[in-house]
Amino acid sequence: MSSEKLIDLPGREFRVWTYAPGHSTLLLRSGKESSGTTRIDVVFMNVGWLNIPIYMNGLVVERPSSVEVSRIVERDKAISGRVKEILIVRGADYRGHLIAGAVEVDESDRAYNEIDKWEVGYWVK
């Protein structure tokens, strides 16, 4: 079985915008001021493990193949109980993984300081 691509945004720069541990929510953002004419927010919900960089050149999110799952669990044995929630996060110069129950994307014309559609940024104020 091969990987299943969920998100493919190779031409954008993303960064970790907000991580709310109490809500187990991670928000990545690509602002229109640095990467294009729209703002793209990617939210991961029910986050249980992070192994990703803060700044990301391009963003591909995919469900790993069974071979990739085995490699990840071998490196990070603590996540073996949640293998169905492992997601690969990669780009031009990085590769990481995380555990999340869901991932969603929102592309909008919101300004830099406007709240995201899930109001994740509101939780950490």
Side-chain angles (χ1 to χ4, degrees), residues 34-107:
S34 63
S35 297
T37 59
T38 60
R39 186 178 95 182
I40 298 177
D41 290 334
V42 179
V43 69
F44 295 88
M45 293 168 256
N46 299 319
V47 175
W49 188 272
L50 289 172
N51 182 1
I52 62 171
I54 294 172
Y55 296 100
M56 293 160 263
N57 184 8
L59 180 67
V60 174
V61 179
E62 58 194 6
R63 293 196 192 285
S65 68
S66 56
V67 172
E68 291 172 306
V69 167
S70 296
R71 288 182 190 148
I72 291 168
V73 171
E74 181 62 30
R75 280 192 311 255
D76 295 329
K77 293 185 184 347
I79 65 176
S80 64
R82 295 183 66 184
V83 297
K84 291 181 180 177
E85 299 170 281
I86 296 173
L87 298 173
I88 301 290
V89 179
R90 63 179 173 84
D93 53 0
Y94 72 94
R95 184 177 183 90
H97 60 273
L98 55 85
I99 289 179
V103 60
E104 293 182 19
V105 177
D106 178 50
E107 187 168 2

Side-chain angles (χ1 to χ4, degrees), residues 13-27:
E13 294 176 6
F14 285 84
R15 67 177 167 164
V16 173
W17 191 256
T18 303
Y19 176 59
H23 292 276
S24 302
T25 306
L26 170 68
L27 179 66

